[in-house]
Amino acid sequence: LSTPSVNVTARAVYDTTEPPVLVSAQFDDLLNSMWLKFDMDTDRARTLGLAPLFKCHNVLELTQAEAKVLFGDDSVCAFVKPDTLKVVFGNGASIEPDQTIAVRNKAVRSADASASLFMHDRAAVAVAGPATPVVPGVKLSASSSSVGVCDDLKLDASKSTGSGGRSMVYAWSAAALSSHDMKNVTAVTTKREAVQSTSLCRPTATMPQGSEFEVTLEVTNFLGETSSSKVTIAKLGVAAPTIKVQGDNPLTTTTHSSILTLAVTAELPTLTCVDFSLASARMDFVWHDDSGHFTDAELAGTSRNPRVLVLPVGSLAASTDYDFRVVGTMVDDPSVTNEASVAVQVGQQDLVASIGGGA
């Protein structure tokens, strides 16, 4: 039995265009998004029929639940350029530098019209931190730098910046500046609950009268960047009103040609632990220049309200630091007094050019 021969001709066709390769992933400097870069222009995942803004799990090697955990609620992706995919984080994002990201198989290919090869089994890339790392800006304020004998001390750092929308680590510490036994003050700063807290409260009974101590707060964000701030506290042995100058300290937004306005807030002294009373709640306020730049140490300003110091345009010299202090005194008993200070750093203005006689 004979078998006829069969001739078969096969032609191999090679796609000359290689599929794209994901080469980098990096946080944006604002920490609210991430950029994924390819080594060539892509088809922007056109074959998937996605909208301009789409859920990231459609293109990245993640389940929908994993994408939500990493990028947060309501996160989205978009091809902002043919070779760049942007991930915009939502609330509760958790992704950090050095975690890896990969593109889903059969999702992205070259922008070349003749290309047919999708990215397939390509290696993941590690996410890099931002080009300019964000450092926490620690804003630490105390209820008073001179705490009355019956008053608690409240420390607050809730206005600190640089978190990138994530939780930061708050490390509190305290050091004695006087010979008093400060173990009750230093002990609270090492408690576990204080590490994650933006605020701290020390009851009056834990602070020895007449003592002085320094509280330091060190804040670390999820990038590992750290900065710190300090406040010096004196615990008085007498009742005293609580005096604070509103705003930042130091104040850095003032210039030679701007009006300086400083305002003070005041609370009546706590008298619960002393056998003492006041017949009137009236207070007097006097402002002082402790830097020596003004001829008169006592400042009058232009405000009729003694709680407010207003210095007119031209009062402050550019590139000069000033230290202003306000003393608040109970009218009923001048011995019941307290004070607060603020540093003012006068900056330089940008030069503005003008043409004389120009329209």
Side-chain angles (χ1 to χ4, degrees):
L1 184 66
S2 61
T3 301
S5 60
V6 178
N7 294 323
V8 177
T9 301
R11 184 178 63 176
V13 178
Y14 296 94
D15 192 328
T16 58
T17 304
E18 288 290 324
V21 175
L22 182 63
V23 293
S24 67
Q26 186 173 30
F27 276 93
D28 179 84
D29 283 352
L30 296 178
L31 304 181
N32 59 6
S33 61
M34 182 174 67
W35 306 91
L36 276 63
K37 297 282 290 185
F38 298 88
D39 68 340
M40 65 177 71
D41 287 352
T42 73
D43 68 345
R44 302 177 188 247
R46 184 176 61 249
T47 59
L48 299 181
L50 301 173
L53 294 177
F54 54 87
K55 292 297 183 181
C56 299
H57 70 275
N58 288 293
V59 169
L60 300 180
E61 191 60 59
L62 298 167
T63 65
Q64 186 171 358
E66 289 170 337
K68 182 177 179 179
V69 170
L70 282 180
F71 305 143
D73 294 334
D74 301 320
S75 58
V76 293
C77 279
F79 280 95
V80 293
K81 293 194 295 185
D83 67 344
T84 306
L85 176 66
K86 183 178 183 179
V87 181
V88 180
F89 301 144
N91 183 49
S94 65
I95 189 167
E96 297 183 355
D98 297 328
Q99 288 186 265
T100 57
I101 290 292
V103 174
R104 185 178 294 281
N105 292 338
K106 298 183 180 180
V108 177
R109 61 185 178 185
S110 170
D112 192 312
S114 64
S116 63
L117 297 178
F118 287 95
M119 295 180 65
H120 182 73
D121 292 335
R122 296 285 171 165
V125 297
V127 178
T132 305
V134 177
V135 177
V138 184
K139 295 186 180 297
L140 175 59
S141 65
S143 54
S144 178
S145 57
S146 298
V147 183
V149 66
C150 302
D151 293 311
D152 298 335
L153 169 65
K154 299 179 181 66
L155 300 166
D156 180 62
S158 60
K159 294 183 179 180
S160 298
T161 60
S163 68
R166 321 287 182 91
S167 297
M168 295 197 289
V169 176
Y170 296 84
W172 300 84
S173 60
L177 299 178
S178 60
S179 58
H180 296 78
D181 183 359
M182 304 300 295
K183 64 181 179 182
N184 288 331
V185 175
T186 57
V188 72
T189 62
T190 60
K191 288 185 177 180
R192 184 173 181 178
E193 59 267 27
V195 174
Q196 294 295 340
S197 178
T198 61
S199 62
L200 208 59
C201 180
R202 295 307 303 128
T204 181
T206 64
M207 297 175 286
Q209 297 179 22
S211 64
E212 187 176 16
F213 55 96
E214 184 178 73
V215 178
T216 301
L217 174 62
E218 187 176 82
V219 180
T220 304
N221 63 16
F222 77 99
L223 297 175
E225 298 291 335
T226 299
S227 58
S228 62
S229 181
K230 300 179 180 181
V231 291
T232 299
I233 305 297
K235 178 61 174 176
L236 305 177
V238 295
T242 299
I243 308 289
K244 287 192 69 175
V245 179
Q246 298 177 11
D248 294 335
N249 190 3
L251 180 65
T252 60
T253 57
T254 302
T255 62
H256 171 73
S257 59
S258 64
I259 298 173
L260 174 66
T261 301
L262 299 175
V264 67
T265 60
E267 297 179 10
L268 294 175
T270 303
L271 304 175
T272 54
C273 69
V274 294
D275 184 14
F276 181 76
S277 63
L278 293 168
S280 170
R282 291 180 54 209
M283 294 182 67
D284 277 340
F285 297 90
V286 179
W287 293 86
H288 300 267
D289 166 37
D290 290 339
S291 53
H293 295 299
F294 287 85
T295 303
D296 298 323
E298 251 185 51
L299 300 174
T302 61
S303 173
R304 294 183 179 181
N305 183 351
R307 289 174 179 254
V308 180
L309 174 68
V310 178
L311 297 180
V313 169
S315 300
L316 305 177
S319 303
T320 304
D321 294 344
Y322 294 82
D323 293 305
F324 296 110
R325 176 171 51 90
V326 59
V327 179
T329 303
M330 301 303 302
V331 174
D332 189 43
D333 188 342
S335 68
V336 183
T337 183
N338 208 341
E339 61 184 43
S341 299
V342 61
V344 176
Q345 300 171 357
V346 184
Q348 290 184 321
Q349 286 180 285
D350 294 333
L351 183 65
V352 178
S354 62
I355 300 175

